[in-house]
C-alpha cells in the first residue's frame, strides 16, 4: 500500500513537469522564429512582438495553450471523484429539530350550588413551547467492498486523465522536427 502511494506521488510530480517540458519545446521553437539572432545586454531576446525572457515565453506557452488548459480542467474534474469515492468510508450524520407552540385560552363556567349564588367564570391562559432535537450517526461496516472498488476505479480514472494530459501536452507542444 505504501509503495503504491509513493508511485502515485511520483507520477503526480512528474506529470506537470513533463507537460511543462513539452510546452517548453514548443515555446523554444516559437521564440526562435520570432526573435532575431542577437541578444541585448539585459538577457532579453531582441526582435518581434512579445519578445521577453526565455522563462517568460515558456510560462506563457504553458499557461495559454487552449488544448492544455482544457485537458487540465478535465483532469481536475476527474480528480474530484476520489474524495467522493472515499466518502463511503466516512460516517454519515443527520440532524433534526422541531418546535411546536401551543396557546391555550380556556373559559370555564361553574354554577352556584345553592339558590341565589351566581355562576362563576374562570379563565385560564397559557402558552407551551415543545422542542425536540435529534441527531443520528451511521457508519457502514460492510457493503460488499463497493467503497473499495469505487475508490480504485476513481484512482484509475485519475491516472488515465493524467496520462491523457501528458499525451495532449506532448501532441500539442512538441516542436516540429528540425529541417534537414
Amino acid at each position: 500500500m505504501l509503495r503504491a502511494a509513493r508511485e502515485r506521488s511520483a507520477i503526480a510530480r512528474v506529470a506537470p513537469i513533463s507537460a511543462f517540458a513539452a510546452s517548453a519545446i514548443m515555446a523554444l521553437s516559437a521564440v526562435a522564429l520570432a526573435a532575431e539572432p542577437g541578444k541585448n545586454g539585459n538577457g532579453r531576446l531582441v526582435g518581434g512582438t512579445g519578445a521577453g525572457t526565455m522563462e517568460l515565453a515558456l510560462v506563457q506557452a504553458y499557461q495559454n495553450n487552449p488544448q492544455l488548459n482544457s485537458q487540465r480542467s478535465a483532469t481536475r474534474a476527474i480528480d474530484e471523484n476520489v474524495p467522493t469515492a472515499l466518502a463511503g468510508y466516512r460516517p454519515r450524520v443527520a440532524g433534526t429539530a422541531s418546535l411546536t407552540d401551543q396557546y391555550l385560552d380556556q373559559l370555564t363556567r361553574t354554577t352556584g350550588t345553592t339558590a341565589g349564588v351566581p355562576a362563576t367564570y374562570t379563565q385560564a391562559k397559557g402558552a407551551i413551547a415543545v422542542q425536540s432535537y435529534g441527531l443520528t450517526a451511521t457508519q457502514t461496516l460492510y457493503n460488499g467492498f463497493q467503497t473499495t472498488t469505487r475508490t480504485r476505479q476513481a484512482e484509475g480514472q485519475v491516472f488515465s486523465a493524467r496520462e491523457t494530459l501528458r499525451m495532449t501536452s506532448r501532441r500539442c507542444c512538441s516542436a516540429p522536427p528540425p529541417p534537414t
Side-chain angles (χ1 to χ4, degrees):
M1 186 73 173
L2 184 60
R3 181 178 174 205
R6 281 190 216 144
E7 289 173 0
R8 284 193 298 269
S9 177
I11 290 171
R13 286 190 306 264
V14 170
I17 294 170
S18 65
F20 181 74
S23 63
I25 292 170
M26 183 184 85
L28 285 172
S29 63
V31 168
L33 291 175
E36 292 177 310
K39 280 189 173 183
N40 62 12
N42 64 3
R44 292 182 159 272
L45 295 172
V46 178
T49 61
T53 65
M54 185 64 68
E55 182 179 319
L56 180 63
L58 292 173
V59 169
Q60 287 179 344
Y62 182 69
Q63 291 176 345
N64 297 325
N65 187 310
Q67 292 151 333
L68 279 176
N69 287 339
S70 172
Q71 191 59 46
R72 277 195 294 267
S73 176
T75 301
R76 281 191 303 272
I78 290 173
D79 283 346
E80 293 301 317
N81 291 340
V82 174
T84 303
L86 287 171
Y89 289 122
R90 297 186 185 107
R92 287 175 293 285
V93 179
T96 59
S98 73
L99 172 65
T100 305
D101 256 346
Q102 292 180 342
Y103 181 75
L104 176 66
D105 191 359
Q106 183 178 6
L107 182 63
T108 309
R109 178 180 180 238
T110 56
T111 59
T113 53
T114 59
V117 176
T120 59
Y121 293 91
T122 308
Q123 184 175 20
K125 291 184 179 182
I128 300 173
V130 178
Q131 300 174 10
S132 66
Y133 303 97
L135 189 65
T136 305
T138 58
Q139 174 67 56
T140 303
L141 297 177
Y142 179 74
N143 64 356
F145 299 108
Q146 291 178 13
T147 302
T148 304
T149 304
R150 287 181 187 135
T151 303
R152 286 183 183 160
Q153 179 185 16
E155 288 172 347
Q157 290 171 347
V158 167
F159 290 132
S160 173
R162 288 179 184 167
E163 183 63 20
T164 303
L165 174 61
R166 189 179 68 79
M167 294 306 294
T168 301
S169 68
R170 183 176 282 178
R171 194 171 46 247
C172 295
C173 303
S174 62
T180 54

